């Protein structure tokens, strides 16, 4: 049997997980990569679930035939996914999805796991104090390294080296560009009416599928035998637009790397080099996504809470209908025309109050589409590894 330790020094918790044979290739891929460290994240939609980006390129494509409904398995179940996540369920999950287990936290450590889960949730949702997870073989020293793939073409290999170095630089320390963005320092002045939350929302919605679907999908397509010319074309079609938008929003380094990748595609001479380049882009973007989820000011919406009593939901629906009727025979109220912002910052924001909310609705619609599970890898007979909870 293989036993791994997962420790969170910032919260003083260590648990032991027993790896099993249900998805032996995935479990072996994790075992071979140990030890490593990573920023610990927490599910923001699905419930009581911890996950972090694991620096393991092979997670993007390793076979995993055994699937379960994540909601039904015991607390402490450990998963790996094609989103390069190591995840651990520690309580109720609401999102229905197939998942690929690789082991389980030993029963005597489940209380400690719950304590770690609550501490990480507090860090992600409120305090923003990074919590670092270390995963190691039980009884062996810890440590950390990021794997580096290679390409036969010297220029492509040099680009991979630069990507590897940048990913290492930001792996355990928040990327300065993301810190600036979340603190409102946006050189392009992105953010209508001086808003920041709107830009953060769109950055979040574009970054996740860029790593999960675009670059992770390109790796799998290459390994499935898609012709190289088709892979080049798909990379150009899928990567350029979201990366350019993210560059405008403040992620200039990502956009610069994307341009270099697209410019180098004609130098990529075989599938192996293509996989190496796309795998490093996937890990880099997924790392950015993890930091973005950590830094995002989720607590700003703390006043919005899910309705848990069906009677409350009925009351809310009745009130909404009555309000709509009062505005003009049941029709929806027409949005007001945006007012011109004044020079004074506060009065300008106040003057734009109603149109700001109207604009935010549209923004939320677009971001919601970008954040939809349909843009992420889903499970099918040919793609058996499902995603982690959001």
């Amino acid at each position: 049997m293989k036993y791994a330790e997962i420790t969170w020094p910032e919260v003083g918790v260590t648990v032991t997980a027993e790896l099993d044979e249900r998805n032996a290739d995935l479990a072996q891929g994790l075992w071979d990569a140990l030890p490593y460290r990573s920023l610990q994240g927490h599910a923001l939609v699905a419930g009581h679930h911890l996950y972090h980006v694991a620096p393991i390129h092979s997670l993007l494509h390793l076979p995993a035939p055994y699937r379960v409904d994540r909601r039904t398995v015991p607390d402490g179940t450990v998963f790996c996914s094609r989103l390069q996540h190591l995840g651990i369920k520690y309580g109720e999950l609401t999102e229905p999805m197939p998942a690929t287990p690789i082991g389980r936290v030993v029963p005597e450590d489940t209380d400690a796991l719950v304590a770690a889960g609550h501490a990480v949730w507090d860090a992600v949702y409120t305090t923003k104090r990074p919590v670092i997870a270390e995963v190691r073989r039980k009884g062996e020293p810890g440590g950390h390294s990021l794997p580096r793939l290679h390409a036969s073409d010297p220029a492509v290999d040099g680009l991979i080296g630069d990507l590897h170095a940048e990913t290492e630089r930001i792996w355990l320390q928040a990327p300065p560009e993301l810190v600036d963005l979340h603190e409102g320092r946006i050189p392009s002045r992105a953010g209508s009416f001086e808003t920041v939350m709107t830009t953060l929302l769109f950055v979040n919605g574009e970054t996740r599928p860029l790593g999960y679907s675009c670059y992770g999908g390109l790796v799998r397509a290459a390994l499935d035998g898609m012709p190289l010319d088709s892979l080049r074309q798909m990379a150009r079609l899928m990567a350029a637009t979201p990366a350019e938008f993210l560059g405008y929003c403040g992620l200039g380094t990502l956009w610069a790397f994307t341009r270099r990748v697209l410019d180098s595609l004609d130098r990529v001479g075989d599938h192996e080099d293509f996989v190496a380049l796309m795998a490093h882009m996937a890990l880099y973007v997924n790392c950015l996504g993890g930091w973005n989820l950590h830094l995002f000011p989720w607590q700003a919406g703390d006043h919005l809470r899910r309705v848990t009593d069906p009677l409350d939901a009925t009351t809310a629906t009745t009130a909404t209908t009555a309000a709509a009727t009062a505005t003009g025979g049941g029709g929806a109220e027409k949005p007001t025309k945006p007012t011109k912002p004044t020079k004074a910052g506060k009065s300008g924001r106040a003057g734009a109050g109603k149109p700001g909310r109207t604009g935010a609705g549209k923004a939320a619609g677009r971001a919601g589409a970008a954040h939809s599970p349909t843009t992420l890898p889903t499970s099918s007979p040919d793609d058996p590894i499902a995603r982690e909870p959001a």
Side-chain angles (χ1 to χ4, degrees), residues 212-237:
Y212 295 164
S213 296
C214 175
Y215 289 113
L218 286 167
V219 168
R220 291 188 288 277
L223 293 172
D224 285 344
M226 179 180 283
L228 200 54
D229 284 344
S230 299
L231 289 168
R232 295 189 187 103
Q233 181 66 2
M234 289 303 297
R236 294 184 177 106
L237 290 172

Side-chain angles (χ1 to χ4, degrees), residues 115-154:
H118 286 288
V120 173
W121 171 255
D122 187 54
V124 172
Y125 190 77
T126 305
T127 70
K128 302 303 170 186
R129 180 173 64 92
V131 175
I132 302 300
E134 180 175 84
V135 189
R136 62 194 181 220
R137 298 177 183 182
K138 186 175 178 63
E140 296 188 15
H144 175 70
S145 65
L146 290 183
R148 205 279 205 192
L149 303 176
H150 293 275
S152 57
D153 181 87

Side-chain angles (χ1 to χ4, degrees), residues 21-26 62-68 99-101 381 384-385:
E21 298 297 314
R22 286 177 289 180
N23 288 296
D25 289 333
L26 276 184
L62 281 171
Y66 187 87
R67 292 179 287 171
V68 296
T100 49
I385 303 181

